[in-house]
Amino acid sequence: MVKVTQIEQKTKFQIPNAIKWNTLLFALSQALVGAGTQMNPALGALVVLRLTGSTALAGLGTSTMGVSRLLIAYPAGKISDGFGRKPALLLGLILGMAGAALTGLSVIWGSFPLVVVAFLVFGLGIGAVQQIRVAEADMYPPQHRGLGMGYVLSGSLVGVLLAPALVALAQATSPRLGIDALSLPWLFVPAMIAPAVFLVFLVNPEPK
């Protein structure tokens, strides 16, 4: 009887309108951020190769991203515990925009030290923004958290599809703008992430 009751509870669960709205906002935010996240694995090695001329350092972008995500995990969690999920996510989005812009500028200026800092800042931001998935899970009862996570991860898939279009746009417009074709995709990323700041700001109530 207990198992039957649990099954009935699962099948009867209806997502409240507020959670549906927040889920949509988070999924769209994840799609926009996902497009920017793909810049590092796609172009990070090319940036390092351009600035150093060494293939030995080609993995610096992805490794720096990994380290920075580790560094931001505890502070982002601490902010979430003290002030809620939204402040941590907004901080991550701002750091992500700053890191992407710095990466683009480092290519234009030919500065390898700056790109190392830029990769670190970008990784800190993306690491904090990964808490979108945790914020989504906060809004669903335990037996339905997989459903909520699935919606947000669908947004990540859209972001993966948007990234090549962003690079193609940069390649097509760089000659007319007179900006290095390798730096321009990074400079486009803040424009992609900026709407996500507004979307996260609209989330109500606070997921935590």
Side-chain angles (χ1 to χ4, degrees):
M1 290 294 295
V2 174
K3 290 184 178 180
V4 172
T5 303
Q6 290 175 343
I7 292 173
E8 289 178 350
Q9 288 176 347
K10 290 182 180 181
T11 56
K12 290 180 180 179
F13 175 71
Q14 297 294 326
I15 304 175
N17 289 334
I19 294 181
K20 288 181 180 179
W21 176 242
N22 284 352
T23 297
L24 176 62
L25 294 174
F26 278 141
L28 292 174
S29 300
Q30 185 66 67
L32 295 170
V33 173
T37 304
Q38 299 305 311
M39 292 300 108
N40 198 298
L43 301 178
L46 296 177
V47 169
V48 173
L49 183 61
R50 166 78 68 83
L51 298 179
T52 66
S54 172
T55 57
L57 297 174
L60 180 67
T62 52
S63 61
T64 303
M65 284 277 288
V67 171
S68 56
R69 287 182 179 184
L70 174 64
L71 294 176
I72 197 64
Y74 179 80
K78 194 71 174 177
I79 292 171
S80 296
D81 287 343
F83 304 99
R85 298 290 183 195
K86 286 172 62 175
L89 293 174
L90 291 171
L91 174 62
L93 291 169
I94 292 170
L95 288 173
M97 289 190 293
L102 285 174
T103 303
L105 292 174
S106 69
V107 175
I108 294 173
W109 296 337
S111 175
F112 177 66
L114 179 59
V115 83
V116 174
V117 174
F119 282 158
L120 179 62
V121 173
F122 186 66
L124 291 173
I126 297 303
V129 173
Q130 295 302 315
Q131 291 213 10
I132 283 180
R133 303 169 187 179
V134 183
E136 180 72 11
D138 283 342
M139 299 187 297
Y140 284 78
Q143 66 269 30
H144 293 284
R145 284 175 180 162
L147 176 65
M149 293 280 284
Y151 288 133
V152 171
L153 292 176
S154 297
S156 298
L157 178 60
V158 174
V160 171
L161 298 176
L162 286 175
L166 192 64
V167 174
L169 177 63
Q171 292 289 321
T173 57
S174 61
R176 282 175 286 177
L177 297 176
I179 300 177
D180 191 300
L182 187 56
S183 69
L184 194 55
W186 294 95
L187 298 177
F188 280 166
V189 168
M192 288 288 295
I193 296 179
V197 175
F198 178 68
L199 294 174
V200 170
F201 185 78
L202 289 178
V203 169
N204 186 52
E206 159 67 43
K208 185 172 178 294

